[in-house]
Amino acid sequence: MLSKINNIKNWHAALIIATTGFATFFTGLKNPFMSDDLAQIVNNPLVHSITNIHSFFAGSTFYNVTGSPLIGTFYRPLMTTVFSILYTIFGPHTFYFHFLQITLYILSAFMVFLVLKYFFKPALAIFLSLIFLVHPINSQVAFAIPSMQEELFFLFGILAIWSLLRFDSVKSLIFAALCLFLSLLSKETAVVFIVVALLYLFWFNRKRLLPFIGIMVVPVASYLLLRLSAVGFMGHANNAPIDNLGIWQRIVTMPAIVFFYIYHFIFPFKLARAYYWVHPTFSVRYVLLPLIIDVIILGLIVYAAKILYKKLPKDQFLIFAFFVAWMVIGLLIHLQIIPLDATTSETWFYFPMIGLLGMIGVVLAIFIPRINPTLLIIIGCLLIGSLAFRTALRGHDYRDAYTIQTIDIAVSKESYSAYNNLSIDYMAQGKIKEAKDYAARSVSIFPTYAGYDNLATASTELGDYVGAMQAYKELLVYNKNDSSLYEKIGEITLFTGDYQSDKKFLTDATNTFPKDATLWMYLAILEDGNGDKANAKTSILKAANFGQISQQLYDSIMLGKPFTIKFGDIGKTVAVK
């Protein structure tokens, strides 16, 4: 049986991989837009027409009403272009986005087969590529539309590696360089494919190394120029707790990061879209224990390398070393040496997994001839089937935003973004108490502008004006130039707080925004309600000079008459005698 599989043709392998892939991932074909899909696609008018393609190369991925059209810290022009092509042709129908994404994912798995076939027999190569295809740790790459960047960067990168294996001419290096350039335009992580390509040529085909380096100068330089012009060189979103740690604290967290990927490769049961935990101080459970396990695994790899060095031909040993380097390179870039936008993410093991599977393949190639072929096939089918079943179930997790967010919280308890998104969902349903609780939980894990904004809104609607004022003041830390925040706080000062501190706030606010009629009006009401009639008249005059205000309010303050004013935004009435 194995001998027949080893004679399998490429198109047979493609059919097996495609059938297995669509049978596994069909559960995600009808899932809706959610999370970043809304900002990058649905609410991004530039993406709605491919005629705006120039904008995709001149900015990031999120639409901005004012200023630069596309903002953000990441440079993903190829992904945005693909989104635009799909939207231009099919409109806002998620089926086509998911179908293309799954197709690209399956095609990537087939390219993995073609690459592994240069190192292993076809039977082993297709087994490893099927593991790569259906492994649940990669499921987010296939199911979450924002993860299309992963498929694009990986597909073009693995295509470049295949071309280096398939062709031996110097001219073929141009095709590899073009693929790597497209990979870079999909995601900056593509630099790992460049490193792997250099490593492969250095170990296995050194005569093409220098020509390859020379050819790569053009695409790398072009990419850097485009990126510098669009988003700068080292854009950083500062949107994860790991950002607040120093380099030593991140080093202390690294053993747990490595252990996370190893554990989820072996036990891919509880999955979430992102993980935000940090372990900045020494502990037995979160630092020492993961470190011991990591060292044991490293020791096993070194021991295996030593045995293989003695028993295998040099070329076979280099294959093992090559895949070890592949995994190390993939992990190293995600170890938080430079802080990323989460502590760990299952999608970040998409590239390193090839290295791990290659290492496993070298070991299996030694033991397979000693095991009954029928038993091997049964075990392989059971393993692939169980992984595929788990992955198919994962597709249902993405059936709506509420489901995936609640699952994220259950698995990744530090997922501040999931708490914040749930706060928005509950707010839309009119469940304000729940919305406030989730927003408060979000900012307690990691303070963000969006989190405090939701907390302030929910607190206001619940009548917790002191809490709302505190939340709005936290928002000022993020944007001191937003006059609307000062206006919201000023409105709340009229029926809560201390007069002296509230007057100081509004006085400082009018000094910052001297022509803001609303702020002057709030200051006038505050002063008049506390008996400071002279200053109230001065303030209401300035309010009238800089904008339109209620004539009745103006007359009441100028003539010293009592008045009542109702604030529609918060449904609160203030009576001044």
Side-chain angles (χ1 to χ4, degrees), residues 354-467:
I354 301 301
L356 180 56
L357 291 173
M359 293 161 54
I360 294 172
V362 173
V363 175
L364 288 178
I366 297 173
F367 290 101
I368 281 177
R370 307 177 187 179
I371 305 175
N372 183 286
T374 303
L375 180 61
L376 279 174
I377 293 173
I378 292 174
I379 293 174
C381 290
L382 287 174
L383 179 59
I384 292 169
S386 60
L387 292 174
F389 180 73
R390 174 66 186 96
T391 296
L393 290 179
R394 180 66 171 154
H396 291 292
D397 294 347
Y398 289 86
R399 61 183 178 271
D400 57 65
Y402 177 82
T403 300
I404 192 64
Q405 287 157 11
T406 53
I407 290 173
D408 281 348
I409 290 173
V411 176
S412 176
K413 300 185 185 303
E414 301 82 6
S415 184
Y416 75 91
S417 60
Y419 282 107
N420 190 52
N421 289 332
L422 279 173
S423 173
I424 297 172
D425 291 343
Y426 278 118
M427 191 86 70
Q429 298 173 35
K431 299 178 180 179
I432 311 303
K433 175 64 168 59
E434 291 86 349
K436 179 186 175 183
D437 291 341
Y438 278 109
R441 176 60 176 155
S442 177
V443 297
S444 70
I445 297 171
F446 186 68
T448 62
Y449 187 94
Y452 277 120
D453 190 38
N454 291 331
L455 181 59
T457 303
S459 298
T460 301
E461 293 201 21
L462 288 173
D464 178 11
Y465 302 117
V466 174

Side-chain angles (χ1 to χ4, degrees), residues 9 28 46-47 92 107 136 153 167 195 212 219 246 303 316 366 384 406 445 453 462 467 472 488 492 510 543 562:
K9 297 183 182 298
L46 293 177
V47 167
L107 184 56
F153 114 82
F167 305 104
V195 176
F212 177 73
Y303 177 75
Q316 292 296 311
I366 297 173
I384 292 169
T406 53
I445 297 171
D453 190 38
L462 288 173
Y472 279 126
K488 290 176 180 178
I492 295 174
T510 53

Side-chain angles (χ1 to χ4, degrees), residues 36 40 44 47 53 55-62 70-84 146-150 152-153 182-190 223 226-227 230-231 235 334 340-341 347-348:
D36 285 350
Q40 293 182 333
N44 186 349
V47 167
I53 189 171
S55 299
F56 310 151
F57 288 82
S60 187
T61 61
F62 294 95
L70 292 174
I71 60 172
T73 57
F74 302 114
Y75 192 54
R76 313 277 197 266
L78 193 58
M79 179 189 72
T80 310
T81 299
V82 171
F83 286 162
S84 183
S147 294
M148 193 176 290
Q149 60 191 4
E150 306 290 341
L152 291 170
F153 114 82
L182 294 174
S183 184
L184 284 169
L185 292 177
S186 304
K187 189 180 181 184
E188 46 275 284
T189 309
Y223 169 75
L226 287 169
R227 180 185 176 84
V231 299
H334 294 116
L340 304 174
D341 52 354
T347 61
W348 295 344

Side-chain angles (χ1 to χ4, degrees), residues 516-527:
D516 190 310
T518 302
L519 289 173
W520 283 111
M521 179 185 70
Y522 290 154
L523 180 58
I525 296 171
L526 183 70
E527 291 168 334

Side-chain angles (χ1 to χ4, degrees), residues 50-266:
I50 193 59
T51 58
N52 298 314
I53 189 171
H54 62 281
S55 299
F56 310 151
F57 288 82
S60 187
T61 61
F62 294 95
Y63 182 68
N64 183 29
V65 178
T66 60
S68 177
L70 292 174
I71 60 172
T73 57
F74 302 114
Y75 192 54
R76 313 277 197 266
L78 193 58
M79 179 189 72
T80 310
T81 299
V82 171
F83 286 162
S84 183
I85 292 172
L86 288 170
Y87 199 101
T88 301
I89 298 174
F90 302 110
H93 300 291
T94 57
F95 172 85
Y96 302 100
F97 287 82
H98 287 300
F99 182 81
L100 177 63
Q101 187 167 12
I102 292 170
T103 301
L104 293 175
Y105 182 86
I106 292 170
L107 184 56
S108 295
F110 176 66
M111 292 306 305
V112 168
F113 164 75
L114 294 181
V115 167
L116 293 179
K117 203 173 74 164
Y118 281 93
F119 301 101
F120 310 113
K121 291 182 178 180
L124 182 54
I126 196 168
F127 169 72
L128 295 172
S129 60
L130 285 173
I131 294 293
F132 175 79
L133 173 73
V134 302
H135 200 291
I137 200 173
N138 290 335
S139 59
Q140 184 177 336
V141 177
F143 288 128
I145 292 175
S147 294
M148 193 176 290
Q149 60 191 4
E150 306 290 341
E151 278 117 344
L152 291 170
F153 114 82
F154 186 90
L155 177 60
F156 287 114
I158 201 71
L159 190 59
I161 301 300
W162 171 79
S163 70
L164 294 178
L165 293 163
R166 174 66 177 80
F167 305 104
D168 195 46
S169 66
V170 174
K171 289 183 179 180
S172 65
L173 297 177
I174 298 175
F175 177 76
L178 176 61
C179 289
L180 291 171
F181 178 59
L182 294 174
S183 184
L184 284 169
L185 292 177
S186 304
K187 189 180 181 184
E188 46 275 284
T189 309
V191 68
V192 294
F193 273 114
I194 298 177
V195 176
V196 167
L198 291 170
L199 189 63
Y200 168 76
L201 292 174
F202 178 77
W203 276 350
F204 299 101
N205 200 335
R206 200 165 297 179
K207 67 179 182 180
R208 294 199 295 164
L209 178 60
L210 289 179
F212 177 73
I213 293 173
I215 291 172
M216 280 302 300
V217 169
V218 175
V220 170
S222 300
Y223 169 75
L224 289 176
L225 287 174
L226 287 169
R227 180 185 176 84
L228 285 169
S229 175
V231 299
F233 182 66
M234 287 292 289
H236 188 55
N238 189 32
N239 57 1
I242 196 77
D243 291 316
N244 295 332
L245 302 187
I247 182 62
W248 171 249
Q249 293 173 312
R250 297 200 300 275
I251 290 174
V252 173
T253 305
M254 286 179 185
I257 294 175
V258 175
F259 174 74
F260 168 89
Y261 293 112
I262 296 170
Y263 178 85
H264 280 80
F265 177 78
I266 301 172

Side-chain angles (χ1 to χ4, degrees), residues 17-30:
I17 292 171
T19 302
T20 305
F22 281 111
T24 301
F25 296 104
F26 79 95
T27 55
L29 283 171
K30 294 184 178 181

Side-chain angles (χ1 to χ4, degrees), residues 305-320:
K306 183 178 179 181
I307 298 299
L308 294 173
Y309 181 77
K310 292 180 179 179
K311 294 189 175 183
L312 293 180
K314 182 180 179 181
D315 288 348
Q316 292 296 311
F317 170 75
L318 284 179
I319 291 173
F320 182 79

